Amino acid sequence: MTARLTADTAIIGGGVIGLAAAWRLAQAGLRVAIIERGEPGREASHAAGGMLAPLAEADSRDAFFDLAVAGRSLYSRFAAELKESTGTDIEYRTEGTLYLSLDECDDEELQRRWEWQHAAGLNVEKLDASFVRTLEPQVAPALRWALKFPDDHQVENRRLVAALLAATRNAGVEIISHTDALRLRIENFAGKKRIVGVVTTQGEVRTGVVVLAAGSWSGLIESDEPVALADVEVEPVRGQMISLEMPMPVVRHVIYSRRGYVIPRLGGTVVCGSTSERAGFDKRVTAGGIAGIIEGAAGMLPAIRELAITEMWAGLRPFAGDGWPILGYDPQVSGLVYATGHYRNGILLAPITAETVTELIVQGEARRDISPFSVRRFATGKRDNGTNEIRGNKRKI
Ligand SMILES: Cc1cc2nc3c(=O)[nH]c(=O)nc-3n(C[C@H](O)[C@H](O)[C@H](O)COP(=O)(O)OP(=O)(O)OC[C@H]3O[C@@H](n4cnc5c(N)ncnc54)[C@H](O)[C@@H]3O)c2cc1C
């Protein structure tokens, strides 16, 4: 197959992860190409809520929590840099997140969260119902108390994607859209395997480095030789969303509870979510899904029921086995970098993923310890005893 172009790094997938990584790599002086099957940024990154909320759902401290908190701390600079580079305001908002308790089960959950986070010195506040009403007068009469996470912020993820797209273009990234990455080209040199390119529907992109950032589709790309991602199934988890017109300010904070969440947007809408469903690659919204979201949202903010619907959609969260992202080099194939499996937190983790991928490729190692996110954690030994399904000299990963 004739080569379409040559790049220092080819990124498969033009979602928020691929775009952010491409921007940083191009800023570091590399020639970068993004191979995108459709239009960049139209999948999970378009469907998301844009919450940057590592504390709101965390029940303990672990490597993922630390990564998420570190990622959150990069956002205000990231947003400012994007504004400067492209003129686009990604609506980084700092009002914070309120997590409501509306019944006894909520009490238990919030109390647990409060106790460990407060003891760990994290920025979390316990608020009584009357104080919450001064912040958010529309909350339901059933409100008992709430936690406030002042540092759990939000962005408008569709603006984020648009800004990243403009920033990557300004930085000279080649975006090859409407082009499927079909197969990783891997060659054996003196017993060592290394990436030499990507076969696409438009020809081959020659490169020594590939960043696999294809979201829920990351496991569907073929490769000449077995790669470690074969040990994990990257599964799509559907999330449905609905946005409503908000002519008067129904809410200012992100409002969260076990029932779902409500996110106010500056443009006069609220976004309510979501579902978590195993529905394959089906992105349709369902009557039951939307009804459940509205029920949950109205349980927190009854005024929601009166608002007109502006849009309904669904997207596919990339879930990799344990819900943690897969970051870092393939242990056996030189030049193959994974940046996938960001599941419910890809918007939050985009800046830190981009920074990490850039350090790996430009400096040869990441500043932070990313070993907990290595694909090695899924190793089953299957690849060593030859039981993997291999089709000819290709295999599905
Ligand atoms: C309803 C919902 C709400 C969410 N809310 C939040 C939130 O509030 N905060 C948060 O941090 N995260 C949230 N997320 C998660 C977040 O959206 C994802 O983790 C993130 O968008 C993943 O980004 P990505 O670039 O890996 O994947 P995607 O955005 O899905 O991008 C992958 C890209 O790869 C392309 N691709 C796939 N296969 C190929 C191929 N073979 N060749 C070329 N291109 C290919 C696709 O077309 C796609 O554009 C939410 C997700 C959903 C669905």
Side-chain angles (χ1 to χ4, degrees):
M1 182 174 273
T2 49
R4 190 182 189 281
L5 67 88
T6 303
D8 296 325
T9 301
I11 298 180
I12 302 178
V16 72
I17 299 297
L19 288 168
W23 185 37
R24 289 305 191 209
L25 286 163
Q27 284 177 321
L30 270 58
R31 276 175 313 154
V32 183
I34 294 179
I35 304 161
E36 166 54 51
R37 202 182 42 192
E39 282 293 322
R42 299 295 299 182
E43 292 291 350
S45 306
H46 184 79
M51 292 172 292
L52 313 174
L55 264 63
E57 282 193 341
D59 281 324
S60 61
R61 172 168 245 150
D62 53 23
F64 177 75
F65 178 79
D66 288 341
L67 181 78
V69 171
R72 186 185 63 181
S73 72
L74 300 181
Y75 243 99
S76 96
R77 221 193 78 218
F78 194 72
E81 230 187 299
L82 276 174
K83 176 90 191 287
E84 202 180 316
S85 161
T86 66
T88 300
D89 180 356
I90 64 167
E91 297 182 3
Y92 174 66
R93 292 182 63 177
T94 59
E95 287 90 342
T97 299
L98 289 174
Y99 204 115
L100 310 185
S101 173
L102 300 160
D103 62 28
E104 276 178 24
C105 287
D106 292 341
D107 281 353
E108 274 175 40
E109 182 176 313
L110 266 70
Q111 186 60 29
R112 255 198 337 268
R113 207 154 290 161
W114 158 257
E115 279 169 13
W116 89 263
Q117 292 194 3
H118 182 63
L122 299 166
N123 192 8
V124 52
E125 296 166 9
K126 201 171 183 179
L127 308 181
D128 64 28
S130 58
F131 188 72
V132 175
R133 276 183 224 295
T134 65
L135 300 176
E136 293 292 359
Q138 302 277 354
V139 289
L143 178 74
R144 298 154 79 92
W145 58 290
L147 291 179
K148 180 171 179 185
F149 302 98
D151 301 333
D152 275 4
H153 297 158
Q154 64 144 312
V155 293
E156 214 290 47
N157 47 286
R158 295 182 183 180
R159 283 179 158 264
L160 169 66
V161 164
L164 280 171
L165 191 52
T168 52
R169 287 197 168 119
N170 292 347
V173 173
E174 171 104 10
I175 298 175
I176 311 168
S177 49
H178 301 285
T179 300
D180 252 54
L182 300 173
R183 182 161 50 91
L184 303 177
R185 288 221 38 235
I186 299 171
E187 285 183 5
N188 251 300
F189 287 94
K192 204 161 163 30
K193 295 171 196 162
R194 69 178 204 213
I195 283 282
V196 291
V198 181
V199 177
T200 81
T201 43
Q202 305 287 333
E204 185 178 330
V205 176
R206 294 226 174 102
T207 181
V209 180
V210 167
V211 178
L212 187 41
S216 292
W217 299 266
S218 295
L220 301 179
I221 298 154
E222 295 185 330
S223 62
D224 289 343
E225 299 276 344
V227 298
L229 196 66
D231 286 332
V232 53
E233 198 179 337
V234 183
E235 270 184 279
V237 176
R238 182 169 71 187
Q240 303 187 38
M241 300 280 259
I242 178 167
S243 78
L244 308 166
E245 214 173 87
M246 186 174 60
M248 70 291 190
V250 169
V251 67
R252 287 175 45 244
H253 298 77
V254 172
I255 305 290
Y256 216 111
S257 81
R258 285 188 304 123
R259 294 146 198 82
Y261 49 77
V262 177
I263 307 166
R265 296 286 203 224
L266 289 178
T269 56
V270 282
V271 174
C272 308
S274 180
T275 58
S276 282
E277 306 158 83
R278 296 285 202 303
F281 290 93
D282 184 346
K283 287 188 296 179
R284 286 176 298 180
V285 294
T286 63
I290 294 298
I293 294 170
I294 294 172
E295 201 51 42
M300 299 187 282
L301 296 157
I304 289 282
R305 287 192 198 282
E306 311 307 320
L307 303 180
I309 295 172
T310 54
E311 191 185 342
M312 292 181 281
W313 67 93
L316 304 175
R317 306 178 186 93
F319 176 82
D322 53 11
W324 287 17
I326 302 176
L327 289 179
Y329 276 108
D330 184 284
Q332 268 145 37
V333 180
S334 159
L336 176 57
V337 178
Y338 299 116
T340 187
H342 289 77
Y343 191 38
R344 297 165 62 88
N345 288 288
I347 304 298
L348 166 67
L349 295 173
I352 201 158
T353 300
E355 194 177 277
T356 303
V357 163
T358 304
E359 288 165 3
L360 282 174
I361 294 171
V362 175
Q363 283 136 38
E365 60 181 352
R367 265 182 303 165
R368 356 181 4 98
D369 174 19
I370 54 163
S371 59
F373 309 105
S374 166
V375 70
R376 286 173 197 269
R377 70 188 191 272
F378 300 106
T380 60
K382 277 194 298 182
R383 279 176 301 127
D384 299 331
N385 63 22
T387 54
N388 260 356
E389 185 195 356
I390 299 179
R391 299 178 187 87
N393 65 342
K394 303 177 198 168
R395 68 200 297 279
K396 290 254 181 199
I397 55 172

